[in-house]
């Protein structure tokens, strides 16, 4: 009876999910001895590293899972740490046979990669990218987000991934793997997470040029453990500079989503970002117009930035016969701005806001266009 009860406790604890790796503890070989005597369950677990930031949550979830088993009256949890050999075996298993520094998002990957670009800064590209990621995750998709806007990183703040000092969390390292923090179901990585300076009120600035920028983007794509993703979004810096060129080299098969505002000054340069992406082999798949007309309480409409920019960009990128639709026009919205400042995306905080509805429409269009298998070889071996 005691052995059977211990087996039930083991099964319950094995199903607990590691909040960073997003996989069950049993699958990660994090369980140790489990003994039940007179209703007291002694549960041993091994964390991946010393000082694991998820330690308290894992211990709490393990305790709750064991206590939920009928016949258990008390739970004692013994927390240890994996040995170097165990950790090395885990990292190899997480890579799934892929060598270190090998690109997991190549042309044969089932993950759809979408680079969100704009011609100029200040059009709300990062805010839209963060909200799109959260909206896609809320639809049940596995979503990753790379803040590739290295000089102007803002994704951690937009998603609430900051501490009381406004600084992003430092990612956990598992040997040479980097585990991205998770917000609203989205796995996130940003250079801001690596620039913490104790005693300072803000993350440090980045003053890098081409080679450093290229290595950073490459490391985000190869060394960060995103696991199996349906969609990987990249928040690109504005314009067509070093990072855009690097992403074009590293991910020539990526789709591109172009963000503009209604005014001609933004639309004209937004077209260029789509055209440059196409030159690297990437495919523009749609346009989102941000800061479009806002309906006022008295029934009038505020066209602060004019109109027609989104349609103009979509038309210009479709001029060669390829269909690049205008996926959404997101109106000016105090709620969208407030959500960004508070770290609570508007699609979660105020789902009925007009901006939320427009972003959800764009997310729905993206979610119904998964990457297909046509034209790609499958990793099958004949016995």
């Amino acid at each position: 009876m005691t052995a059977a009860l211990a087996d039930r406790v083991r099964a319950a604890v094995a199903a607990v999910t590691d909040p960073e790796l997003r996989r069950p503890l049993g699958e990660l070989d994090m369980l140790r001895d489990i003994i039940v005597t007179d209703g007291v369950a002694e549960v041993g677990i091994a964390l991946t590293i010393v000082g694991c930031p998820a330690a308290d949550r894992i211990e709490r979830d393990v305790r709750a899972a064991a206590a939920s088993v009928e016949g258990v009256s008390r739970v004692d949890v013994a927390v240890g740490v994996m040995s170097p050999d165990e950790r090395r075996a885990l990292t190899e298993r997480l890579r799934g046979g892929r060598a270190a520094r090998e690109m997991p998002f190549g042309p044969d990957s089932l993950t759809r990669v979408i680079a969100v670009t704009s011609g100029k800064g200040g059009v709300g590209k990062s805010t839209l990218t963060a909200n799109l990621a959260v909206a896609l995750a809320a639809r049940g998709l596995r979503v990753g987000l790379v803040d590739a806007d290295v000089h102007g990183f803002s994704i951690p703040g937009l998603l609430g991934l900051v501490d009381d000092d406004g600084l992003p969390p430092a990612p956990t390292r598992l040997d040479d793997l980097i585990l991205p923090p998770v917000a609203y179901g989205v796995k996130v990585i940003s250079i801001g997470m690596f620039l913490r300076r104790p005693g300072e009120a803000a993350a440090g600035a980045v003053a890098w040029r081409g080679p450093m920028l290229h290595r950073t983007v490459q490391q985000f794509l190869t060394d960060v453990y995103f696991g199996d993703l349906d969609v990987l979004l990249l928040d690109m810096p504005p314009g067509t500079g070093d990072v855009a060129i690097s992403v074009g080299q590293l991910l020539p098969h990526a789709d591109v989503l172009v963000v503009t505002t209604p005014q001609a000054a933004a639309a004209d340069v937004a077209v260029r970002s789509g055209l440059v992406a196409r030159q690297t082999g990437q495919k523009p798949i749609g346009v989102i117009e941000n800061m479009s007309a806002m309906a006022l309480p008295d029934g009038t409409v505020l066209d602060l930035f004019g109109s027609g920019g989104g349609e103009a960009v979509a038309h210009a990128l479709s001029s060669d016969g390829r269909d690049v639709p205008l996926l959404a026009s997101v109106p000016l919205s105090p709620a969208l701005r407030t959500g960004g400042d508070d770290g609570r995306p508007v699609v979660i905080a105020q789902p009925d806001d007009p901006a939320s509805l427009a972003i959800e429409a764009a997310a729905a269009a993206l979610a119904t266009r998964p990457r297909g298998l046509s034209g790609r070889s499958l990793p099958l071996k004949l016995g």
Side-chain angles (χ1 to χ4, degrees):
M1 179 65 181
T2 301
L5 182 55
D7 288 341
R8 291 201 298 274
V9 171
R10 178 174 289 275
V13 173
V16 171
T17 299
D18 183 295
E20 292 184 305
L21 294 171
R22 292 299 178 102
R23 292 170 73 167
L25 301 188
E27 185 179 323
L28 297 172
D29 291 338
M30 294 174 66
L31 303 187
R32 296 298 179 261
D33 291 339
I34 295 178
I35 302 171
V36 181
T37 305
D38 296 330
V40 178
E42 299 177 25
V43 180
I45 59 173
L47 302 178
T48 53
I49 60 171
V50 175
C52 173
D56 290 343
R57 177 174 170 182
I58 293 174
E59 182 177 351
R60 184 172 63 251
D61 291 348
V62 164
R63 190 179 301 278
S68 70
V69 177
E70 186 177 357
V72 173
S73 58
R74 196 182 85 202
V75 178
D76 294 332
V77 180
V79 180
V81 179
M82 285 185 171
S83 69
D85 287 342
E86 289 173 329
R87 195 161 49 247
R88 191 176 305 111
L90 175 59
T91 57
E92 291 176 359
R93 188 161 64 252
L94 292 174
R95 287 199 189 95
R98 181 173 53 87
R101 300 294 168 90
E102 181 181 338
M103 171 63 70
F105 303 111
D108 293 331
S109 170
L110 296 180
T111 299
R112 187 181 189 193
V113 180
I114 303 176
V116 185
T117 70
S118 66
K120 64 192 295 293
V123 301
K125 168 187 52 60
S126 297
T127 299
L128 290 182
T129 304
N131 277 275
L132 279 173
V134 172
L136 289 168
R139 289 175 170 269
L141 298 179
R142 295 164 297 183
V143 182
L145 173 52
V146 172
D147 188 357
D149 193 351
V150 177
H151 296 298
F153 52 89
S154 57
I155 290 295
L158 291 168
L159 292 175
L161 281 172
V162 292
D163 59 20
D164 293 340
D165 294 324
L167 294 174
T172 300
R173 290 180 178 269
L174 185 59
D175 290 345
D176 56 358
L177 283 184
I178 300 170
L179 308 184
V182 180
Y184 303 101
V186 179
K187 296 180 178 180
V188 184
I189 198 70
S190 170
I191 191 63
M193 298 172 180
F194 300 88
L195 300 177
R196 295 177 60 92
R197 295 178 179 175
E200 294 190 7
V206 176
W208 296 342
R209 300 189 70 178
M212 282 289 289
L213 294 172
H214 182 88
R215 284 196 293 272
T216 298
V217 174
Q218 185 176 39
Q219 187 173 13
F220 282 172
L221 295 171
T222 58
D223 292 3
V224 175
Y225 175 71
F226 286 106
D228 294 327
L229 295 180
D230 295 305
V231 180
L232 176 67
L233 292 170
L234 285 83
D235 180 35
M236 301 290 291
T240 55
D242 288 327
V243 172
I245 294 170
S246 291
V247 171
Q249 293 172 340
L250 295 167
L251 301 167
H253 56 285
D255 292 334
V256 173
L257 185 61
V258 180
V259 175
T260 185
T261 59
Q263 65 187 116
D268 289 345
V269 291
V271 172
R272 294 176 213 158
S273 69
L275 294 177
V276 168
R278 186 172 284 165
Q279 289 173 8
T280 67
Q282 297 174 331
K283 177 185 176 184
I285 56 166
V287 176
I288 295 182
E289 180 184 80
N290 194 27
M291 305 181 193
S292 63
M294 173 187 183
L296 300 178
D298 63 0
T300 60
V301 174
L302 176 62
D303 265 342
L304 187 61
F305 294 102
S307 63
E311 291 180 350
V313 174
H315 177 74
L317 294 177
S318 301
S319 60
D320 59 357
R322 307 181 207 188
D323 180 30
V324 181
L326 176 62
L327 297 180
S329 290
V330 181
L332 285 165
S333 166
L336 182 61
R337 191 273 305 165
T338 301
D341 290 343
D342 295 343
R344 295 193 69 228
V346 71
V347 294
I348 295 293
Q350 298 194 40
D352 294 328
D353 185 81
S356 293
L357 298 176
I359 294 169
E360 285 287 356
L366 296 174
T368 56
R369 296 178 57 185
R371 291 194 66 196
L373 297 174
S374 176
R376 288 186 290 148
S377 60
L378 297 178
L380 300 178
K381 294 182 180 180
L382 299 177

